[in-house]
Amino acid sequence: MRCPRCDATVREAASLCSFCGQDLSVMYFVRRLSNTYYNIGLEKARVRDLSGAIVVLKKSLQFDKKNANARNLLGLIYYEMGETVTALSEWVLSKYLQPDDNEADYYINIIQKNQTALDATNQTIKKYNSALSAAKSGNEDLAIIQLKKVVSLNAHFVRAQQLLALLYIHDEDYQKAAKCLNRAGRIDFNNTTTLRYMQEVGEKIGGSNRAKDTGTVKKAPKKDPLANVTPVGSYKEEKKSLMPVLYVIIGAILGLAVSFILIQPTLQKSGDSGTQMSDTNEQLAVQSSQISGLEKEKAELEEELKELKKQIQDADSLAQKQSRSYEKLLKGLQYYLDNDKIQAAVEVAGCKKTDFATEEAQTLYTKIGAVTEAQISQLVSQGRNEMRQSYSSAVTTFKKVLKLDKENQSAMYYMAYCYQKQNDMKNAKKWYEKAIKVNDTTALATQAEARLEEVKDALKDNDTGATASPAAE
């Protein structure tokens, strides 16, 4: 076990850290609490309350993110619900946090070895997204066809069953909707969305039966079938362009001009052969001159077209850049209004004053982006405090410091130290070298040089081990 304060290795049953004296009883309590939530999630999963199990297992991981049993079970539940990609994400993260003796290896290998299942998963996601897009555009018949293919490829895909039922409800085909919801309920019987749809279907079927008994038929008002549906991926429509239209117009003008020049001489014949030959030669010379002029004009038009296209691209690029800058300014303003001036300055750190067109925006950027040396020092101290809890959080804080002060030697050194503790020796070497380069006469530079040698030795050992591994087999 690792001490949360000094990161030293201590015995599992130790109540105090033998290096820094940190009380470890809280860690044991948090572990027991995480295992308790894991046991509750396991009981819910055994009775197929998958949605409830997901909530409880996420709570377990909030207390102990390294609880491999909870994370592996969460991946199995996602896999059972047809969310293969999410399941793989959980297993890969579990393998990263606990490289040895982890059941996630077995689950990942099973999926990776079955190429047919991977292809089916890919097709399922594509067809689900296609069906969702078709439903949003009003083409519900095509969406139903696509969803039928999805559930035939993966009958456990709960979201596909729910969306298919929703489309049937919109078409007032409540019997088919009930069948889809029953299939989804057998996979996850306590899913809130499934239960809500089943309640609505039950009300519609009951209302229809009552209307038949009284001799009247009441048509239920249609609702938006996509109100509770979220897409698996994203879709972006391609921008329209005027370039093909311009090319067609220019080509048509040139074609008409050349055709007129070539056909006109045949319509004008003279009676005298000698005169005709002379006139023909003269006409050919005129045609040659006109063709040369048209070719020159064509070349000029093409150059103008290229220049126009370049101006459009430059204008689009500038507009996108300004849009991103204004988005950063708005985020910074929100943090500034919340009295988080350091984070506000971080948000606008990548912008320039010239990125804003109005004087008001430039003034606002100057006010938000202003940061003092004391605030930067305070942010460095915050990162050092975070190193006791999480090196990843500390790295994020030191990156903020470097956005505000690119030559801050302290932030570079401590960020390199965090990477070293995380066994990311390449990044550790990179930032130790940068810290030394800023000023090699400081005490931090001396410490960085000593730790840089440790990092280089570790990298050499890794390279030696990688080279020797085939021979060991």
Side-chain angles (χ1 to χ4, degrees):
M1 185 177 67
R2 312 288 294 188
C3 174
R5 183 177 181 182
C6 65
D7 198 37
T9 303
V10 295
R11 293 182 296 106
E12 284 292 334
S15 59
L16 296 175
C17 176
S18 57
F19 292 89
C20 65
Q22 173 69 29
D23 185 7
L24 302 178
S25 59
V26 176
M27 286 191 62
Y28 295 129
F29 174 75
V30 169
R31 283 188 175 184
R32 289 196 299 271
L33 196 57
S34 177
N35 289 331
T36 301
Y37 277 113
Y38 163 72
N39 292 330
I40 297 173
L42 182 59
E43 292 298 324
K44 288 181 176 291
R46 284 175 176 171
V47 296
R48 303 204 72 82
D49 183 6
L50 302 186
S51 298
I54 288 175
V55 174
V56 175
L57 290 173
K58 286 183 176 180
K59 193 72 174 178
S60 173
L61 293 174
Q62 285 180 357
F63 285 101
D64 184 8
K65 68 178 181 180
K66 294 184 179 181
N67 192 335
N69 291 329
R71 197 172 294 280
N72 291 339
L73 179 58
L74 183 60
L76 286 173
I77 292 174
Y78 280 130
Y79 184 75
E80 176 65 14
M81 296 177 68
E83 306 286 347
T84 307
V85 176
T86 309
L88 280 173
S89 300
E90 294 295 338
W91 292 332
V92 170
L93 183 57
S94 174
K95 173 64 177 174
Y96 172 77
L97 295 174
Q98 182 180 322
D100 301 325
D101 193 21
N102 195 330
E103 293 181 355
D105 285 332
Y106 173 73
Y107 304 140
I108 295 172
N109 289 335
I110 287 179
I111 294 179
Q112 288 180 341
K113 288 179 180 179
N114 192 347
Q115 187 62 37
T116 304
L118 282 176
D119 294 339
T121 300
N122 188 32
Q123 290 296 323
T124 300
I125 294 173
K126 288 183 179 179
K127 290 183 182 296
Y128 175 83
N129 288 336
S130 176
L132 184 57
S133 299
K136 285 184 175 180
S137 61
N139 196 349
E140 297 177 5
D141 294 335
L142 177 60
I144 291 174
I145 294 173
Q146 293 284 358
L147 288 172
K148 286 181 178 179
K149 294 180 181 178
V150 170
V151 297
S152 66
L153 290 172
N154 187 356
H156 283 229
F157 198 171
V158 175
R159 277 198 289 171
Q161 298 281 11
Q162 291 171 345
L163 179 56
L164 183 57
L166 193 60
L167 292 175
Y168 281 139
I169 293 173
H170 187 253
D171 288 342
E172 299 182 358
D173 193 347
Y174 303 116
Q175 299 296 333
K176 291 183 179 180
K179 291 180 180 179
C180 294
L181 294 173
N182 286 333
R183 287 194 291 266
R186 285 195 293 269
I187 299 167
D188 181 12
F189 84 89
N190 202 27
N191 188 288
T192 306
T193 303
T194 303
L195 294 176
R196 185 167 66 252
Y197 292 170
M198 290 182 70
Q199 182 180 4
E200 183 173 352
V201 169
E203 292 175 355
K204 298 299 182 183
I205 293 176
S208 176
N209 292 335
R210 289 194 297 271
K212 289 180 180 179
D213 294 338
T214 58
T216 59
V217 179
K218 297 181 180 180
K219 189 174 180 181
K222 291 187 177 181
K223 297 182 179 180
D224 183 9
L226 304 175
N228 300 305
V229 182
T230 56
V232 176
S234 60
Y235 170 75
K236 187 177 181 181
E237 186 176 357
E238 184 179 358
K239 293 183 177 180
K240 296 181 179 180
S241 175
L242 295 176
M243 293 302 106
V245 178
L246 293 177
Y247 282 123
V248 171
I249 295 173
I250 293 173
I253 294 173
L254 293 176
L256 290 174
V258 173
S259 299
F260 177 79
I261 293 171
L262 294 176
I263 294 173
Q264 185 182 15
T266 61
L267 301 177
Q268 297 177 351
K269 297 182 179 179
S270 63
D272 183 70
S273 60
T275 305
Q276 184 178 7
M277 181 65 69
S278 177
D279 292 341
T280 301
N281 292 335
E282 184 178 353
Q283 289 173 358
L284 288 174
V286 172
Q287 291 174 8
S288 178
S289 176
Q290 290 177 341
I291 290 173
S292 299
L294 287 173
E295 290 178 347
K296 182 178 180 182
E297 184 178 355
K298 177 184 176 183
E300 292 175 353
L301 288 173
E302 288 178 347
E303 288 295 328
E304 292 178 0
L305 188 61
K306 289 181 180 178
E307 184 66 25
L308 180 61
K309 186 176 180 180
K310 182 179 179 182
Q311 292 177 1
I312 293 174
Q313 291 176 347
D314 292 341
D316 288 342
S317 176
L318 180 60
Q320 292 175 1
K321 182 178 179 181
Q322 288 182 343
S323 177
R324 290 192 295 268
S325 299
Y326 277 104
E327 288 178 0
K328 292 180 180 179
L329 184 62
L330 289 175
K331 289 181 180 179
L333 179 59
Q334 184 63 47
Y335 283 112
Y336 190 88
L337 293 176
D338 293 339
N339 204 26
D340 190 353
K341 296 182 179 180
I342 294 178
Q343 184 61 36
V346 170
E347 290 295 335
V348 300
C351 302
K352 298 179 180 178
K353 191 173 183 179
T354 55
D355 293 340
F356 306 99
T358 62
E359 184 177 352
E360 293 79 6
Q362 291 177 356
T363 304
L364 186 61
Y365 161 75
T366 303
K367 185 175 183 179
I368 293 176
V371 62
T372 63
E373 291 293 333
Q375 290 174 325
I376 294 176
S377 299
Q378 180 183 355
L379 194 57
V380 172
S381 299
Q382 177 186 334
R384 293 186 63 182
N385 292 331
E386 290 174 348
M387 288 169 62
R388 300 175 181 174
Q389 303 295 330
S390 171
Y391 291 118
S392 299
S393 300
V395 167
T396 303
T397 302
F398 292 133
K399 286 182 178 179
K400 292 180 181 179
V401 174
L402 292 174
K403 282 186 178 181
L404 301 174
D405 183 6
K406 296 181 179 179
E407 299 295 325
N408 193 294
Q409 189 180 47
S410 298
M412 294 178 182
Y413 172 81
Y414 290 120
M415 186 160 64
Y417 179 81
C418 291
Y419 280 128
Q420 184 180 2
K421 286 296 182 180
Q422 292 176 315
N423 290 325
D424 189 352
M425 298 304 175
K426 291 185 178 179
N427 275 324
K429 178 176 178 295
K430 168 186 170 183
W431 287 104
Y432 277 138
E433 290 175 345
K434 287 189 175 182
I436 296 169
K437 188 176 180 180
V438 171
N439 188 352
D440 58 356
T441 61
T442 63
L444 275 178
T446 304
Q447 296 178 20
E449 289 174 353
R451 293 195 176 274
L452 181 60
E453 293 301 322
E454 297 176 2
V455 170
K456 289 181 178 179
D457 292 339
L459 289 172
K460 288 180 181 179
D461 292 340
N462 291 339
D463 293 339
T464 304
T467 305
S469 58
E473 294 180 3

